[in-house]
Amino acid sequence: VNYRHIFHAGNFADAFKHIVLIALIESLKNKDAPFCYLDTHAGCAQYDLDSESAKKTHEYRTGVGRIFKQKNFPRLVQTYVDCIREINPDDTLHFYPGSPHFVRQLLRPQDHMILSELHATDFKTLKKHYHEDKQVATHHQDGWLSLKAFLPPKERRGLVLIDPPYEDPTEFFSVAEKIQPALKRFETGVFALWYPMKSNIARNPFYRDVKKLITRPTLFVEISFWPEDGGASLHGSGMLIINPPWTLDTTLREILPWLWQTLSPHRQGEWKIF
Ligand SMILES: C[S@@+](CC[C@H](N)C(=O)[O-])C[C@H]1O[C@@H](n2cnc3c(N)ncnc32)[C@H](O)[C@@H]1O
């Protein structure tokens, strides 16, 4: 594993992903029954935006940095901002939470989370962060194997976040195939897969495979900030939600216009749900 998320923490793709993640967790909390959250590519629990690595790219400025400058937020974005404020008590952005940390702050006493991370250093940080936490299990394991190892969860309800680094671009073309058996094991589970929108990686084969292999209901949510052929290396990002909660579509349609306007420097790109 060469990929290091510290270079990208808090960028527009992270902000979008984490807001959708919060929407999904909030909808699971509509029922009292416990749920399990499985994060297959968990990363670290939090990222130091003042570190040399983060300062090399300053990517967070185009994501969470823009959101933090606003005064009023739609309800779910307010929850997102509150989670970030919790680790930045002086109200200045020093740290950015990873997906595990957003979810941890929203868990109820009856809920659990399972985190797998393959990078040795990132895993060590993750483990240290949660080692005394009875609601969190951390595993130094390949995320794709964790789909086999931990599904279905004993709660029989839950959310699986699949957030691979796509270091090898061909990984994009096998994701539907890899998710299909996991979905067989946990048919009613909510699955959320993050994917990049890059002009040099065609998405049509991915959409086609999902339609062919995934027989449960799906929702694609995409947001972009540059035109598809505008030359940006990452012009947007998407989330594939399998078994989306029935209110998710409406909830996201209320938030995405605000998010797109806040994060779009040149009013380019668009948001889409289909
Ligand atoms: C995009 S980052 C995850 C970010 C995190 N989910 C978040 O939203 O804060 C991808 C992570 O996957 C890890 N990784 C790479 N290959 C992996 C694999 N096969 N299994 C598990 N983790 C892997 C990387 O070390 C990196 O921390």
Side-chain angles (χ1 to χ4, degrees):
V1 181
N2 292 317
Y3 176 92
R4 308 309 316 276
H5 196 63
I6 181 70
F7 293 108
H8 312 293
N11 69 5
F12 73 82
D14 250 12
F16 162 70
K17 171 180 65 190
H18 293 145
I19 289 168
V20 175
L21 178 64
I22 289 169
L24 290 168
I25 293 289
E26 291 293 319
S27 67
L28 280 167
K29 286 165 68 173
N30 285 337
K31 285 189 189 150
D32 287 337
F35 67 82
C36 175
Y37 168 71
L38 169 62
D39 197 327
T40 58
H41 298 69
C44 303
Q46 76 181 41
Y47 298 88
D48 181 355
L49 299 176
D50 297 326
S51 67
E52 284 310 311
S53 305
K55 281 206 235 144
K56 255 191 193 142
T57 56
H58 281 305
E59 281 194 22
Y60 78 91
R61 287 183 180 166
T62 60
V64 63
R66 288 207 170 105
I67 295 177
F68 236 62
K69 284 194 189 133
Q70 308 300 310
K71 297 230 158 24
N72 297 304
F73 308 99
R75 191 182 60 82
L76 282 172
V77 183
Q78 181 69 56
T79 307
Y80 169 78
V81 169
D82 290 346
C83 287
I84 300 166
R85 285 208 172 118
E86 206 257 347
I87 57 168
N88 292 285
D90 67 357
D91 221 16
T92 309
L93 270 174
H94 298 292
F95 296 102
Y96 185 74
S99 49
H101 207 54
F102 280 105
V103 176
R104 181 64 190 99
Q105 291 187 63
L106 303 174
L107 281 195
R108 304 161 304 178
Q110 65 266 44
D111 308 320
H112 289 94
M113 56 194 236
I114 303 172
L115 311 172
S116 60
E117 167 59 47
L118 198 56
H119 193 284
T121 316
D122 286 359
F123 175 71
K124 220 167 135 189
T125 315
L126 192 68
K127 190 176 174 192
K128 203 164 143 203
H129 212 89
Y130 295 115
H131 83 285
E132 278 179 354
D133 192 330
K134 292 204 160 47
Q135 284 177 259
V136 184
T138 53
H139 297 271
H140 187 200
Q141 189 178 34
D142 179 281
W144 297 110
L145 291 182
S146 73
L147 291 175
K148 269 199 192 117
F150 305 118
L151 296 184
K154 65 176 188 318
E155 294 85 350
R156 300 273 161 175
R157 315 181 55 218
L159 168 65
V160 181
L161 175 67
I162 305 173
D163 185 17
Y166 299 99
E167 272 182 293
D168 170 1
T170 60
E171 192 168 24
F172 191 46
F173 300 117
S174 59
V175 285
E177 218 173 291
K178 285 175 171 159
I179 294 173
Q180 190 195 32
L183 195 55
K184 279 221 170 85
R185 267 192 293 279
F186 187 28
E187 262 197 322
T188 54
V190 181
F191 287 70
L193 168 83
W194 182 88
Y195 59 89
M197 294 168 71
K198 291 183 168 188
S199 46
N200 61 348
I201 305 182
R203 290 189 304 286
N204 279 342
F206 163 67
Y207 298 140
R208 196 189 52 220
D209 280 359
V210 170
K211 294 227 151 61
K212 197 169 81 190
L213 301 173
I214 308 290
T215 49
R216 304 290 300 181
T218 57
L219 200 66
F220 292 89
V221 189
E222 294 186 349
I223 195 162
S224 61
F225 303 104
W226 291 274
E228 181 101 34
D229 53 2
S233 64
L234 184 73
H235 64 269
S237 73
M239 300 276 280
L240 161 67
I241 317 292
I242 304 171
N243 290 324
W246 67 276
T247 49
L248 186 73
D249 190 323
T250 315
T251 306
L252 293 180
R253 281 178 199 280
E254 284 163 13
I255 297 172
L256 291 180
W258 183 94
L259 191 65
W260 181 79
Q261 281 214 344
T262 306
L263 297 184
S264 178
H266 312 296
R267 297 287 180 271
Q268 289 178 327
E270 58 182 347
W271 63 270
K272 260 204 244 175
I273 299 185
F274 54 101

